[in-house]
Amino acid sequence: MAHATMTFPPDFLWGTATSSYQVEGDNTNSDWYTWEAAGHIKGDLGAGRAADWWENAERDLDIAAEMGNNAHRLSLEWSRIEPEPSVFDEVAIARYRAILQGCHDRGLEPMVTLHHFSNPLWLVEKGDFNNDIVINYFRRYATKVATELGDLIPKWITINEPMTYCVMRYLTGEFPKPSRLGFGGLFEAIHNLLRCHVAAYHAIKEIHPEALIGTANNIQIFEPRPGGNIIDRWWANLVRRIYNDSWQDALHTGRYRGLVGSKFFEGLAGTYDFVGVNYYTRFYVRFPPPPGFVERDWGPDAVVSDGDYGEVYARGLFKVIDHVWKRYRKPIYITENGVPDAADRLRPGFLLDHLRQVWYAINFCYPVMGYYHWSLVDNFEWDRGWTQRFGLIAIDPQTQERTWRPSARLYREICQSYSLNDEMAQHYAPGMLPVMWPGDLPGSSEPRPL
Ligand code: BGC
């Protein structure tokens, strides 16, 4: 019998994403290590061995390959590569070489992030992104990685989610404390992060002109609360401009526009080959915002994921793709998209519906080149510790036992067939059938009412 099928291009990249601190374990030279030891995380389990990647990444790369993936996004831990200022650890670099080679050997094209939320402790002691010495250090770190590992890295992310990183550090206080809190510290850090990006971009291109480089931007849907007034609408626009657009706009034009005024950065304009989109959810916002600025609000009918992480809002992914394409006209990678869902009650439908948005975009000629689901395995979820589980594969952090969630099997079917079809929906998320295929499917017992 013919099945309703949504087919993806043959060169589409199917991946998952992870980050070093969240999966490697025992990153004792990172600022997160001391931060979590001081009790700043939820629950009684710290990162510990995390998903044990420093010793055993290959076990999960095997799983990714078995899941039909042809790509993987991972990050390097700066504090392992340079545990003390100007001291590079060749053993750590060799371990990363083995992991990256392990990706290639399994047919997983690596996309590598240089900075994903964690810093070497020595850098923090020097004021990290509130001290412009960070730029030279970051340039040297990027140069070292490009020299030693760059032959294995076709795609690069210099900085993961600069805006999230700064909001969580400077405004909400959920990430390790910076030397200068508040908006002053935040915009100073953004400026230095931009300078770090420029330095790394040019350093990598000098050694590997063919490398494709971008940043992973957390872009969410921010809408004024339903029934909101003109001030709420003004506020939603401002939040979108600063949180969603200001960073990537700066890479595009060379000029960063903050809350007041703007600043031009030499060598910044055009320093990206693609736009990385990390999409998770939609927020309703209102003015004035709560202290810390992050408002977790949604409509009464919203489907909400574990721990009130956010609303499941798949159409938002298409809206974000549309926005990013019209603004920048560069290839797009969905560098993260996922949901905390320990029981896997939402994830199968989430996967189908979000990938349907990607398929829809591709069919209207938006250049979405790949999708990296967050995440391959459960991992250490920053300030929320292990209380939220994003993995396609469940992990017991104490025994390191792995269990395939149903959505991992679904993702395998999708990746292997380069398609979504009604049989998959019927099997893994029957509730999605009328959403994805509102017409009558072959074999339906009753025609759907008009
Ligand atoms: C981050 C990940 C994080 C994920 C889920 C993203 O903002 O890049 O590190 O685990 O969201 O919260």
Side-chain angles (χ1 to χ4, degrees):
M1 188 198 297
H3 284 283
T5 304
M6 298 170 176
T7 308
F8 286 73
D11 56 354
F12 193 74
L13 289 181
W14 297 103
T16 59
T18 53
S19 91
S20 49
Y21 195 86
Q22 294 180 271
V23 294
E24 284 177 1
D26 295 328
N27 272 315
T28 51
N29 292 318
S30 157
D31 55 345
W32 267 94
Y33 193 79
T34 41
W35 181 253
E36 51 158 309
H40 294 289
I41 56 163
K42 265 199 185 159
D44 37 358
L45 271 184
R49 281 164 70 200
D52 197 28
W53 273 40
W54 196 244
E55 301 295 326
N56 281 310
E58 289 77 358
R59 162 177 49 189
D60 290 335
L61 297 179
D62 280 343
I63 292 179
E66 198 186 329
M67 210 186 278
N69 292 188
N70 57 15
H72 184 72
R73 177 177 169 226
L74 69 162
S75 76
L76 308 178
E77 190 65 26
W78 187 357
S79 66
R80 278 198 195 271
I81 291 184
E82 193 176 359
E84 289 170 48
S86 312
V87 177
F88 291 99
D89 182 339
E90 299 303 331
V91 175
I93 293 172
R95 174 66 186 130
Y96 279 125
R97 209 174 163 81
I99 293 175
L100 291 170
Q101 188 58 53
C103 289
H104 285 282
D105 293 346
R106 290 165 179 80
L108 305 166
E109 185 196 89
M111 175 185 272
V112 169
T113 308
L114 288 175
H115 186 273
H116 194 127
F117 294 172
S118 81
N119 289 317
L121 270 171
W122 59 260
L123 185 72
V124 174
E125 278 155 22
K126 294 179 191 293
D128 61 88
F129 296 99
N130 295 113
N131 182 344
D132 57 16
I133 55 160
V134 69
I135 303 152
N136 269 333
Y137 281 120
F138 198 70
R139 178 185 295 112
R140 275 196 343 202
Y141 162 55
T143 305
K144 182 77 179 171
V145 172
T147 311
E148 305 275 341
L149 304 171
D151 56 318
L152 297 176
I153 308 179
K155 296 191 174 70
W156 299 69
I157 298 286
T158 53
I159 315 275
N160 179 68
E161 298 190 358
M163 294 312 298
T164 318
Y165 177 61
C166 289
V167 168
M168 305 290 271
R169 262 192 108 185
Y170 293 86
L171 299 185
T172 71
E174 283 155 308
F175 279 15
K177 201 166 170 194
S179 53
R180 206 180 148 209
L181 281 164
F183 280 108
L186 184 149
F187 286 113
E188 183 176 61
I190 290 286
H191 289 177
N192 280 329
L193 279 158
L194 283 167
R195 294 187 182 104
C196 287
H197 165 79
V198 177
Y201 178 90
H202 294 296
I204 298 163
K205 286 280 183 180
E206 202 166 300
I207 302 168
H208 293 285
E210 73 293 354
L212 297 179
I213 307 174
T215 56
N217 307 291
N218 187 295
I219 304 184
Q220 310 308 316
I221 300 290
F222 294 102
E223 284 177 11
R225 70 190 157 105
N229 57 28
I230 190 167
I231 310 209
D232 295 323
R233 288 202 288 282
W234 161 82
W235 176 241
N237 276 333
L238 183 66
V239 171
R240 280 197 288 262
R241 183 175 76 67
I242 300 280
Y243 191 84
N244 285 348
D245 300 335
S246 67
W247 172 270
Q248 191 66 43
D249 283 0
L251 269 55
H252 191 66
T253 62
R255 183 170 285 282
Y256 183 79
R257 242 179 101 211
L259 274 179
V260 276
S262 69
K263 190 170 173 54
F264 182 77
F265 292 87
E266 199 60 49
L268 175 62
T271 52
Y272 67 108
D273 301 303
F274 60 86
V275 182
V277 168
N278 293 359
Y279 173 72
Y280 285 89
T281 188
R282 161 170 74 178
F283 294 112
Y284 287 146
V285 296
R286 73 186 69 210
F287 193 83
F293 289 85
V294 179
E295 184 155 5
R296 301 201 174 269
D297 191 15
W298 35 78
D301 301 328
V303 175
V304 179
S305 54
D306 287 359
D308 276 354
Y309 182 83
E311 176 186 2
V312 174
Y313 180 55
R315 190 64 183 158
L317 180 53
F318 175 76
K319 291 184 182 175
V320 168
I321 292 169
D322 178 64
H323 176 76
V324 161
W325 169 242
K326 289 180 177 152
R327 214 166 171 92
Y328 309 113
R329 303 265 159 188
K330 289 264 184 140
I332 298 166
Y333 289 88
I334 309 306
T335 37
E336 286 181 32
N337 171 237
V339 62
D341 180 23
D344 215 42
R345 80 194 153 95
L346 301 173
R347 196 177 287 102
F350 178 101
L351 258 180
L352 288 165
D353 208 8
H354 284 74
L355 282 169
R356 177 171 70 121
Q357 307 302 326
V358 174
W359 169 85
Y360 181 87
I362 293 171
N363 281 280
F364 284 88
C365 291
Y366 294 82
V368 188
M369 316 305 287
Y371 173 88
Y372 300 77
H373 188 79
W374 185 273
S375 182
L376 176 59
V377 289
D378 286 342
N379 54 53
F380 176 72
E381 181 51 31
W382 306 116
D383 52 303
R384 280 158 274 133
W386 290 88
T387 63
Q388 293 195 324
R389 304 302 182 98
F390 281 82
L392 291 164
I393 304 291
I395 288 193
D396 176 336
Q398 270 147 339
T399 63
Q400 289 296 322
E401 198 191 326
R402 269 112 176 108
T403 311
W404 284 60
R405 292 195 165 102
S407 48
R409 288 194 287 276
L410 166 63
Y411 196 46
R412 175 171 59 191
E413 288 188 32
I414 295 171
C415 298
Q416 285 177 343
S417 66
Y418 284 68
S419 68
L420 315 171
N421 67 42
D422 63 285
E423 257 190 330
M424 295 171 186
Q426 178 69 59
H427 186 78
Y428 292 98
M432 287 311 296
L433 278 171
V435 177
M436 295 184 59
W437 291 280
D440 288 333
L441 289 167
S444 301
S445 48
E446 284 171 35
R448 295 217 176 90
L450 283 175

